[in-house]
Amino acid sequence: MTTGLIPGDQPPDPRPTSGLPHQRDEPVGHGTMPVENRSRSSVITARAAASFEPVGRSVASARAFVRDTLQGWGFADIIDDAVVLTSELVTNAVVHAGTSADLLCLRCDDGVRIEVADRYPEREVPLQGSAVAMGSPDREGGRGLQLCAALANRWGVEYSPTYKTVWFQLDIPERPVGTRAAGPALPSDLLPIADARVRVAVVQIDRTGAISSWNEDAEELFGYTAEQVTGKPLTDLAAWPHTPGTGTGIAEALQLSRWEGSYGIRDANGRVTPVYASHLRVRDADGDPSTVCLLVRDHERAVLQTPLRVPASDTSENQSTDPFEVFIGSPAPDDLDSLLQRTVERARDMLDGDSAFLLLATDDETELEVRASTGLPSARQRFARVPVEAGSGRYGSARMPSVHDDLSALPGAVPLLNGTGMRSAVTVPLKVEGRLTGSLGVAAEGAGRYSNEEALRLQFAADRIALAVESARLGELERLRRGSLSFLVEASDLLAGTLDRDQTLALMAQMTVPTLATWCAVYTIADQASEPYLSYVLHEDEELIDGIKSLLSKMAPPDPVPTPGARVWSAPGEVAHQAALRTSMRSLGLSGGPSNQVTPGISPTLTTASAVGGETVVLPLVARNRVIGMLTLGKPTDEHFRQEILELAEDLSRRAALALDNARLYSERTAISQSLQRSLLPPELPVIDGVEVEVIYRAAGEGNEVGGDFYDLFPISDGAYGFAIGDVCGTGPNAAAVTGLARHALRLLAREGLSGPAVLERLNSAILDEGTRSRFLTLLYGELRPQEDGSAELKVVCAGHPLPLRLRQDGTVEPAAEPQPLLGVLEDLDLYEQTVTLDPGDVLLCVTDGVTERREGLNMLGDDGLAEVLTTCTGLTAGAVAARIMRAVERFASDAPSDDMAILTMRVPGLHQD
């Protein structure tokens, strides 16, 4: 990658082609010329550019470049969108188009423009308005432009004779501060008009929810006589504002001690009459509870509605102040967490409470999640959840204002306050367009502290901030989703970049800690009959890893349940707590032993218990319809996981499971290949008196294919040894079959007393008998007999193989055989053997074609290059000669060898040597 600054006082060129690898960005004056043929309405204030080579790793480098650039410019709000779009466009350039990519980032006063250019101008790009050309999500191509259309504020494509540029612009989002709507007190001529006689319907509801009393005003308002409705449930008449996924809500409202609000009553003609209602729950002398409902027409609500208490210090000048600013303060916080924290603090102060809390709805809006609190153990409560649906033990009152005089008399009414010492509380909903988005509450340590008046005041404040909170909440969810997409893109790249099992396990843990969890443990399952095995443990504090690993090793692993999704696993926290308790009791002499002072060993135990004392969840690792392990994520004491984090962890676990299974399959295949490769080579070489022998074998690749090169050296009879070095065409199982056939057939036939040509002719017939599985084979075969005079006699047959080279003591090199036809092609071969005598000090070098065909660009080592290297080996032992040849071959080219290599050297020691 090469990067460079585009000077601010020159027309920018988005395609730097040379220069040292570096990157810079700096402010540009307002007089900067705009990019040619590109219309922009805002001034460019900084630029940063980079070029990336057409290789796969450039995509990750481009993402990092854009992330670092925008982070430096202070545009954190749009980093995730920019990274996703850049990843797609650079992938199109360096992977699909196969050219280098030039990346240009332009900072404007209202956003960022990013351009990606490649050198493939003739590659057609669909027009922005063409729905068909844009492709579908199921197709491989076109998704980059779909993302541009979905995420970018503006985008386009530009062509030149040598370049194609795709650009997009992301505007800096405005941070909403909420709805600001309020007005002065209404003059008398603007008060709502009521009938000459205001009718107040008085309806009494018994403990079953049925109507037991219906007054004359109720008959006049709704058209039903008392006889028609007595005994019927009020829910049959009430038209409660419906929220998708919930019940009517009127039944819950009737169970509250006090409640005010609006809903509708269906009259005798089937029309809905909007009413404002005030409910009061009472009991008779026998103790039977009932609810008295006072109802007026909604536009006459002033008759029943409790007036908002205005502080005496308020003046007419303050009456026009924005209620949002009055409650939140100015300036309003620009992030969600700060806004929520200030909200609970102001709510607590407004009602003179001891604590306050705010819950926000989750994505599916079936639960409320604690997001801010004051006066409560916030670390324990943060991100804790309560369900919204009505029912026993549920937080059903979240959809309406509710006052609780004494929580000790109604335990569980506000689950968040259990065990906190709070006695009374008032909670109100946060609603936007009738949809529940959260709940705000204030609590006090004394009983009976709050009345309906405080509930209305708190509801008024909640209405003022609901839209601002919801807007910030949705913005946070959108950033989390886009951040999750960027996270998964990078995680997929990392997981796809390795086939090593241990490295895959490490990556899984490192990607989750600390991004998703405080600590992580990975269990693996070898097969269906095996128990889960603890394979990897990681904590953000390295000093705690050993303690957690020891704890998990002593307890039963989680059950390998294939059901998708995260499930809570409470065992680590419980076991750690019990271990810490036992350690503390022993150290204090409370377990029956002698009393001792607190020992140093108690500290690690308590630290481990604290580290795993929070929520722990288990996600199954499922690949190819089989559970291959579990991913365990944990939080420290009193902390919980957010649902968005668990959903992201589930997505990651699916990708990690497939990567782990691929690594397992690759490891098994590699082990099989290596085992088969070893079986095709002799286990050891015999020691030959009077002759030094050395062999070097190097298999190409990463061990996932069985090579076609082989060698052998074996005794034939007393004083005679057979040797062979060969190369089967290709790799894989078919080549391995021919290799095994050749090596074992050579030993068998040679020990039958056949000559070299006869051995090879029969081997040729055996190879041809393999039919379609047969492969042609180059083979150098010979027999070696050490002589009494210190020399060695060799009889060799070179069947299509690189010729053996003989190095004499004077440094001359010459071929030691003549070429003959290779095996596995012709049925009738006329082979002959040649006799070579190695004098003391002579060396015979035999190699496969992986040595002679070693290439660097257009240059090849060849037979002449090998002979030149051999001339420098005079006086060296057989092992030193083989090592020098191998070093020369490896240094000839910078790339890793693409073919197997085998080197066999034999040397007759000089007469002066022992």
Side-chain angles (χ1 to χ4, degrees):
M1 178 186 79
T2 60
T3 62
L5 171 71
I6 301 177
D9 55 354
Q10 299 178 7
D13 180 5
R15 310 173 184 92
T17 58
S18 62
L20 295 175
H22 66 284
Q23 66 183 60
R24 294 168 47 206
D25 56 77
E26 57 187 37
V28 180
H30 289 283
T32 302
M33 293 294 292
V35 175
E36 48 201 317
N37 299 326
R38 301 180 184 123
S39 60
R40 298 189 180 92
S41 60
S42 54
V43 176
I44 299 172
T45 57
R47 302 182 178 88
S51 292
F52 301 92
E53 299 176 354
V55 293
R57 62 177 179 272
S58 294
V59 179
S61 300
R63 287 198 298 267
F65 172 74
V66 170
R67 184 181 296 278
D68 293 342
T69 299
L70 299 189
Q71 190 70 45
W73 288 349
F75 291 159
D77 290 340
I78 61 174
I79 283 180
D80 292 324
D81 285 354
V83 167
V84 171
L85 294 178
T86 301
S87 178
E88 289 291 334
L89 298 182
V90 174
T91 300
N92 290 342
V94 303
V95 176
H96 300 309
T99 78
S100 60
D102 298 330
L103 181 61
L104 173 64
C105 299
L106 300 175
R107 184 179 71 187
C108 308
D109 53 4
D110 60 348
V112 171
R113 173 173 169 132
I114 296 179
E115 302 178 358
V116 179
D118 64 51
R119 296 177 174 83
Y120 195 179
E122 66 272 16
R123 190 165 183 256
E124 294 184 359
V125 175
L127 297 177
Q128 186 170 349
S130 175
V132 177
M134 286 292 289
S136 68
D138 297 330
R139 294 177 51 194
E140 180 66 21
R143 288 181 294 193
L145 299 182
Q146 280 188 321
L147 281 176
C148 284
L151 300 180
N153 299 101
R154 291 181 293 280
W155 69 281
V157 183
E158 300 173 1
Y159 291 92
S160 72
T162 57
Y163 285 87
K164 178 186 90 272
T165 301
V166 181
W167 62 269
F168 62 88
Q169 181 162 333
L170 299 173
D171 295 340
I172 301 301
E174 296 182 0
R175 296 182 174 92
V177 295
T179 301
R180 304 186 176 195
L186 295 176
S188 59
D189 58 342
L190 296 180
L191 292 175
I193 300 176
D195 294 340
R197 178 176 179 268
V198 176
R199 298 187 181 274
V200 179
V202 180
V203 181
Q204 191 162 4
I205 312 298
D206 63 20
R207 66 189 311 165
T208 65
I211 299 173
S212 60
S213 176
W214 184 269
N215 73 342
E216 294 180 358
D217 281 354
E219 294 183 11
E220 188 68 26
L221 286 174
F222 308 123
Y224 300 105
T225 64
E227 292 76 10
Q228 289 177 300
V229 296
T230 299
K232 291 185 177 180
L234 181 63
T235 54
D236 291 351
L237 306 179
W240 189 266
H242 179 64
T243 302
T246 68
T248 62
I250 181 64
E252 291 81 2
L254 294 174
Q255 296 300 317
L256 297 177
S257 58
R258 286 185 297 273
W259 183 83
E260 284 188 21
S262 299
Y263 52 92
I265 297 293
R266 295 182 182 86
D267 62 20
N269 297 321
R271 293 188 297 269
V272 175
T273 299
V275 299
Y276 188 85
S278 175
H279 297 175
L280 176 65
R281 195 155 173 79
V282 298
R283 61 177 176 169
D284 59 20
D286 296 329
D288 289 333
S290 61
T291 303
V292 177
C293 304
L294 306 181
L295 311 173
V296 297
R297 294 185 179 91
D298 192 61
H299 67 274
E300 298 173 340
R301 62 171 58 199
V303 175
L304 299 179
Q305 188 172 23
T306 304
L308 181 66
R309 184 174 63 190
V310 179
S313 59
D314 285 357
T315 64
S316 59
E317 184 179 353
N318 292 332
Q319 292 177 0
S320 61
T321 305
D322 189 336
F324 178 85
E325 289 189 353
V326 170
F327 183 66
I328 293 299
S330 183
D334 58 0
D335 64 284
L336 178 60
D337 287 337
S338 298
L339 176 61
L340 299 182
Q341 191 61 36
R342 187 177 295 184
T343 297
V344 295
E345 293 171 356
R346 295 299 174 92
R348 177 198 60 191
D349 296 341
M350 183 179 71
L351 298 187
D352 192 23
D354 297 311
S355 64
F357 52 90
L358 192 148
L359 301 89
L360 289 187
T362 55
D363 275 351
D364 54 10
E365 299 182 356
T366 61
E367 290 182 303
L368 296 178
E369 183 179 64
V370 180
R371 292 300 303 273
S373 65
T374 180
L376 296 174
S378 57
R380 177 170 65 86
Q381 303 293 352
R382 184 168 171 77
F383 299 126
R385 296 189 171 206
V386 290
V388 177
E389 294 84 359
S392 176
R394 303 286 186 171
Y395 201 58
S397 60
R399 298 190 181 278
M400 60 201 72
S402 180
V403 177
H404 303 276
D405 288 332
D406 192 350
L407 293 174
S408 62
L410 191 61
V414 185
L416 180 63
L417 300 179
N418 290 345
T420 62
M422 300 297 159
R423 291 282 302 278
S424 57
V426 54
T427 62
V428 297
L430 275 68
K431 291 186 177 182
V432 175
E433 297 179 351
R435 181 170 52 87
L436 179 70
T437 61
S439 178
L440 176 63
V442 177
E445 295 178 354
R449 284 279 299 276
Y450 302 112
S451 64
N452 199 46
E453 181 179 351
E454 279 79 12
L456 291 175
R457 291 181 61 202
L458 190 61
Q459 183 67 72
F460 180 81
D463 292 341
R464 302 287 76 76
I465 67 165
L467 187 59
V469 170
E470 177 66 0
S471 179
R473 183 183 78 93
L474 294 177
E476 180 189 70
L477 289 176
E478 187 64 19
R479 285 192 298 273
L480 283 173
R481 292 190 185 100
R482 295 184 177 183
S484 299
L485 179 59
S486 178
F487 172 80
L488 291 175
V489 167
E490 296 191 18
S492 298
D493 279 353
L494 289 173
L495 291 171
T498 179
L499 287 172
D500 182 83
R501 175 184 176 276
D502 293 337
Q503 188 173 359
T504 301
L505 289 172
L507 283 174
M508 289 170 57
Q510 292 166 6
M511 284 185 293
T512 57
V513 176
T515 305
L516 305 181
T518 306
W519 64 272
C520 166
V522 182
Y523 291 85
T524 57
I525 302 175
D527 52 60
Q528 294 182 352
S530 302
E531 291 294 324
Y533 174 75
L534 181 62
S535 299
Y536 201 92
V537 176
L538 184 65
H539 191 282
E540 61 182 6
D541 185 353
E542 294 183 357
E543 296 182 356
L544 299 178
I545 294 178
D546 291 340
I548 297 177
K549 185 182 298 183
S550 176
L551 174 71
L552 296 178
S553 300
K554 297 175 182 177
M555 54 185 295
D559 295 331
V561 178
T563 306
R567 54 191 174 91
V568 176
W569 187 33
S570 59
E574 296 173 355
V575 173
H577 175 74
Q578 293 298 326
L581 182 60
R582 288 194 301 270
T583 303
S584 301
M585 294 178 65
R586 284 196 303 268
S587 65
L588 298 174
L590 300 178
S591 58
S595 177
N596 298 314
Q597 294 182 350
V598 177
T599 62
I602 190 174
S603 180
T605 305
L606 293 178
T607 302
T608 301
S610 176
V612 301
E615 188 175 38
T616 302
V617 297
V618 178
L619 297 103
L621 298 175
V622 181
R624 298 176 176 89
N625 297 322
R626 187 174 73 87
V627 180
I628 64 171
M630 287 88 70
L631 177 64
T632 303
L633 306 179
K635 289 280 191 180
T637 299
D638 297 336
E639 290 195 18
H640 301 266
F641 285 99
R642 298 189 59 183
Q643 185 64 29
E644 295 79 9
I645 295 298
L646 294 180
E647 291 172 358
L648 179 58
E650 185 178 356
D651 286 338
L652 176 63
S653 68
R654 287 194 291 266
R655 290 164 170 79
L658 188 58
L660 183 61
D661 200 47
N662 288 338
R664 177 187 64 82
L665 294 175
Y666 178 80
S667 299
E668 291 179 356
R669 181 181 178 186
T670 300
I672 292 172
S673 298
Q674 292 174 346
S675 177
L676 179 57
Q677 186 72 68
R678 287 192 297 268
S679 71
L680 299 177
L681 300 175
E684 58 183 13
L685 298 178
V687 177
I688 304 176
D689 293 335
V691 179
E692 299 175 358
V693 179
E694 183 66 28
V695 174
I696 296 179
Y697 181 84
R698 293 285 189 273
E702 299 180 2
N704 59 335
E705 287 287 350
V706 181
D709 291 8
F710 70 95
Y711 64 89
D712 203 358
L713 180 64
F714 54 91
I716 298 177
S717 59
D718 293 340
Y721 296 86
F723 66 91
I725 184 169
D727 186 2
V728 178
C729 173
T731 58
N734 290 338
V738 176
T739 299
L741 172 65
R743 193 172 75 84
H744 295 292
L746 284 176
R747 289 195 173 210
L748 179 64
L749 294 173
R751 288 170 176 169
E752 290 294 324
L754 299 177
S755 64
V759 169
L760 267 61
E761 288 171 0
R762 283 167 173 76
L763 176 59
N764 181 64
S765 299
I767 293 174
L768 293 176
D769 289 343
E770 291 292 306
T772 57
R773 296 185 301 172
S774 67
R775 299 290 183 94
F776 65 79
L777 166 68
T778 67
L779 179 65
L780 173 65
Y781 172 75
E783 295 181 1
L784 168 68
R785 291 179 180 272
Q787 303 299 310
E788 295 182 357
D789 59 0
S791 64
E793 181 185 80
L794 289 80
K795 294 181 179 181
V796 297
V797 181
C798 187
H801 199 77
L803 299 179
L805 298 179
R806 176 182 181 180
L807 171 64
R808 296 183 181 273
Q809 278 191 312
D810 59 4
T812 59
V813 176
E814 60 185 5
E818 297 176 354
Q820 300 184 58
L822 51 75
L823 307 181
V825 178
L826 303 176
E827 293 185 1
D828 297 327
L829 295 179
D830 187 12
L831 302 176
Y832 58 91
E833 64 182 8
Q834 297 174 269
T835 302
V836 179
T837 300
L838 294 182
D839 296 326
D842 288 355
V843 176
L844 184 71
L845 174 65
C846 310
V847 301
T848 58
D849 60 5
V851 173
T852 56
E853 296 180 1
R854 178 77 162 144
R855 292 180 180 273
E856 175 67 21
L858 298 177
N859 298 324
M860 185 172 70
L861 179 63
D863 296 332
D864 294 338
L866 180 62
E868 184 178 349
V869 176
L870 185 59
T871 59
T872 66
C873 298
T874 304
L876 300 180
T877 63
V881 171
R884 178 169 293 185
I885 296 297
M886 179 56 71
R887 284 197 304 271
V889 172
E890 291 176 342
R891 293 173 179 174
F892 185 79
S894 58
D895 295 337
S898 59
D899 194 5
D900 300 335
M901 294 185 293
I903 299 175
L904 170 63
T905 58
M906 292 180 287
R907 178 179 180 271
V908 179
L911 296 177
H912 62 282
Q913 298 180 349
D914 294 335

